Amino acid sequence: MSDEHMPVNVGNPIEMTMLEFAETINKVVGNKAGITIVPDARSERDPQRRQPDITRARKVLDWEPKISLEQGLLKTIPYFKQKLDLV
């Protein structure tokens, strides 16, 4: 229980483009199919930057990420494969 009622962003504070994010996922899963970019398919409401400000997480929760995106994906993907019976 906490007296904190305001949102707290968690995530990786290192900014990257969606292309860099997709390339990282492809690298980790060994996808050789590549990436398809569909021009003009993006909504105007989509964020232009994806970099959470985790200042409040550090202050309120004493939290910050301790592993890289690649390390996190290497742990997360097998977990979900098992949960979805894809192993």
Side-chain angles (χ1 to χ4, degrees):
M1 300 302 282
S2 171
D3 292 331
E4 187 60 47
H5 300 289
M6 299 299 294
V8 178
N9 285 332
V10 295
N12 189 329
I14 298 171
E15 184 172 21
M16 64 174 35
T17 66
M18 291 308 294
L19 178 59
E20 291 168 328
F21 185 62
E23 289 170 341
T24 301
I25 292 170
N26 278 352
K27 178 181 170 187
V28 169
V29 299
N31 179 18
K32 306 248 188 276
I35 297 167
T36 301
I37 298 173
V38 181
D40 301 323
R42 184 176 175 162
S43 167
E44 291 178 15
R45 297 183 325 187
D46 278 350
Q48 299 301 305
R49 296 178 57 169
R50 283 154 174 92
Q51 180 184 25
D53 178 356
I54 65 165
T55 303
R56 287 186 42 76
R58 287 181 174 124
K59 180 179 176 187
V60 173
L61 305 174
D62 191 28
W63 179 90
E64 64 184 345
K66 297 195 180 350
I67 64 172
S68 70
L69 171 63
E70 280 191 40
Q71 291 170 319
L73 289 171
L74 286 168
K75 292 178 177 227
T76 302
I77 291 168
Y79 170 82
F80 279 104
K81 280 184 175 180
Q82 180 185 15
K83 288 292 183 189
L84 297 170
D85 262 343
L86 301 174
V87 193

